[in-house]
Amino acid sequence: MKILLLNWRDPLNPDSGGAEIVTLEHAKAWVQHGHDVIWFTSRFKNSSKEEDLNGIKIVRYGNVMTVYFYAFFYYFFSGNKFDLVIDEIHGIPFFTPLYVKKPKIAFIHEVAGEIWNYMLPFPLNLIGRLTEFLYLKIYKNMHFWTDANSTIDELVKNGIKRENCVAISCAISNKTLSKIPVKENVPTFIFVSRLVRMKGIEDVIDAFSLILEKENKARLWIVGGGSDVYVKFLKNMTDKKGLSSKVKFWGKVDERKKLELMSKAHILLHASVKEGWGLVVIEAASQYTPSVVYDVAGLRDSVKNSKTGVVISENNPKKLAEEALFLYKDKERYQKYQEQGVNWSRSLSWKNITSQSLNMINKYDKKN
């Protein structure tokens, strides 16, 4: 089949994230099994208009806003006859139901919902929420592909038929450790994500200040990049709370360093508004580091509560701190979660995961 994959970013874009990593793994598998994949996306500074990535043809037009407009013209005038279109949604869809008559799948990592309130000021946040509400009406008869069952629940609440939805978990690309690594000699908590408000870093810092009241030698590592303005805000926040000597901002690091820090930390903390899946949770588990997370879509799927980590019952810094301390101090339970977390991460191989998406798209292959 010839597949058109519409995504506002591609994996080589400096602003790409976990969603693009996941999409790339699936697209690579499709190419390896004989399908032609064109990834239509936006341009970024010094990017090529076209290039090959693991057998996938990357085509770039416009920016992250205008790419939706250019996609319409590319579909009709590129000279390609597509058999299947993957409409990957990041807040705004490509509105393919309005012009694509061929088979199509909506690939959504999360229903944004309240995320709009964290990412945009009033009244733009309301416009975002209204846009999402309206486009889901347009997409009501589409087939949806997502990462987590909890996202399917949210789609159903928004009028999408459950029988039109499929959840395919995300795997990790790194190797799982074969034995428990040496951890830091003081209680060390880690947060790994892009530094934006919706990822919950402010709640994690608040939770850590409460942890310090019980464990005054504790440390917090913040791993990930963000805008200069927001990082400065977070550093000022830690200063005002008297945490500067206890909190380290590592910034954006490479994969090797990220996994090294995960392996040395005791517990990963995550307080996101919601996630598509929570890939960092699985990565941390592969390094024998359990997670304590908010009970939100995505995170409640990637963390097996009371088996590989803790999904807290109340989403607030106080409860996050309490559960993190309980787990750290309960050595028997902590080691149990370490072992079960590693086994959970091992079960999520890309070979197994991509076979599911291959089965999904092959249903649209007229050759079968």
Side-chain angles (χ1 to χ4, degrees):
M1 286 194 300
K2 179 160 281 191
I3 301 170
L4 176 62
L5 173 59
L6 303 174
N7 188 330
W8 69 336
R9 292 175 180 147
D10 68 81
L12 300 179
N13 190 314
D15 293 323
S16 66
E20 285 69 46
I21 294 172
V22 169
T23 305
L24 176 62
E25 292 297 331
H26 287 287
K28 281 162 52 179
W30 302 343
V31 169
Q32 289 164 7
H33 283 76
H35 298 293
D36 293 325
V37 179
I38 295 178
W39 187 317
F40 186 86
T41 188
S42 63
R43 300 203 66 171
F44 53 90
K45 188 176 180 180
N46 298 323
S47 64
S48 302
K49 191 173 180 180
E50 293 186 8
E51 65 182 291
D52 180 274
L53 179 63
N54 298 116
I56 303 159
K57 183 179 181 180
I58 307 291
V59 178
R60 302 185 180 98
Y61 278 88
N63 56 40
V64 291
M65 295 307 296
T66 61
V67 66
Y68 299 93
F69 172 77
Y70 283 111
F72 171 85
F73 289 96
Y74 186 80
Y75 177 75
F76 284 109
F77 303 113
S78 67
N80 293 289
K81 291 186 177 180
F82 297 105
D83 302 297
L84 176 66
V85 176
I86 307 294
D87 181 343
E88 190 159 356
I89 301 170
H90 294 275
I92 301 173
F94 283 86
F95 292 99
T96 54
L98 300 180
Y99 61 90
V100 175
K101 302 305 179 184
K102 291 290 183 73
K104 49 196 172 290
I105 299 171
F107 185 15
I108 188 170
H109 299 279
E110 70 260 316
V111 177
E114 60 270 35
I115 291 177
W116 292 108
N117 299 334
Y118 288 81
M119 301 304 292
L120 295 173
F122 178 86
L124 295 179
N125 61 327
L126 296 183
I127 295 172
R129 297 194 75 156
L130 178 61
T131 300
E132 185 171 62
F133 173 79
L134 293 175
Y135 89 66
L136 284 172
K137 299 300 180 187
I138 297 171
Y139 279 64
K140 66 179 181 179
N141 294 318
M142 279 272 282
H143 284 89
F144 274 79
W145 164 25
T146 189
D147 308 313
N149 286 312
S150 54
T151 303
I152 290 181
D153 293 337
E154 292 196 338
L155 287 169
V156 171
K157 289 178 183 177
N158 281 275
I160 307 301
K161 297 175 183 177
R162 188 176 292 275
E163 59 266 29
N164 286 348
C165 300
V166 60
I168 300 176
S169 302
C170 300
I172 54 174
S173 301
N174 63 278
K175 289 185 178 180
T176 300
L177 294 182
S178 58
K179 62 180 180 179
I180 297 176
V182 177
K183 299 288 184 178
E184 290 289 289
N185 56 13
V186 296
T188 303
F189 302 87
I190 189 169
F191 172 89
V192 182
S193 178
R194 286 181 298 112
L195 299 185
V196 292
R197 281 191 64 221
M198 60 85 53
K199 294 295 185 178
I201 178 57
E202 294 172 44
D203 277 15
V204 168
I205 291 172
D206 284 338
F208 179 68
S209 68
L210 297 173
I211 289 173
L212 269 180
E213 293 176 7
K214 304 292 184 181
E215 288 283 347
N216 60 13
K217 291 183 179 180
R219 297 287 186 272
L220 173 64
W221 291 343
I222 298 174
V223 182
S227 71
D228 292 340
V229 172
Y230 191 57
V231 172
K232 183 178 180 181
F233 167 81
L234 294 173
K235 288 182 176 179
N236 287 338
M237 179 181 177
T238 59
D239 285 343
K240 290 177 181 178
K241 290 180 174 290
L243 305 176
S244 296
S245 64
K246 305 287 186 177
V247 177
K248 179 162 184 175
F249 287 82
W250 288 89
K252 189 173 183 179
V253 300
D254 60 27
E255 286 296 302
R256 182 195 61 77
K257 186 64 177 179
K258 180 182 73 174
L259 294 170
E260 176 191 329
L261 294 172
M262 284 179 166
S263 71
K264 291 180 177 179
H266 293 93
I267 293 173
L268 181 138
L269 302 177
H270 211 327
S272 184
V273 175
K274 66 173 61 174
E275 291 289 321
W277 173 247
L279 206 56
V280 294
V281 165
I282 307 300
E283 290 173 335
S286 76
Q287 306 301 298
Y288 285 91
T289 302
S291 297
V292 178
V293 305
Y294 274 11
D295 183 10
V296 297
L299 293 180
R300 71 171 68 101
D301 301 85
S302 55
V303 175
K304 291 189 173 183
N305 191 32
S306 299
K307 291 183 179 179
T308 67
V310 180
V311 179
I312 65 176
S313 58
E314 300 171 33
N315 292 347
N316 58 63
K318 183 174 182 291
K319 193 67 174 177
L320 189 66
E322 287 176 356
E323 293 293 350
L325 281 171
F326 288 156
L327 179 56
Y328 174 76
K329 292 178 178 179
D330 188 341
K331 301 304 180 186
E332 184 177 344
R333 182 164 66 110
Y334 179 81
Q335 189 170 350
K336 179 182 175 184
Y337 289 3
Q338 282 183 303
E339 296 291 348
Q340 292 179 160
V342 163
N343 291 335
W344 171 225
S345 69
R346 285 194 185 118
S347 72
L348 297 170
S349 71
W350 277 121
K351 182 178 180 180
N352 293 336
I353 297 302
T354 56
S355 68
Q356 296 176 50
S357 69
L358 273 165
N359 289 336
M360 176 184 69
I361 68 168
N362 282 339
K363 294 176 183 177
Y364 300 94
D365 191 347
K366 294 178 182 179
K367 296 176 184 176
N368 291 338

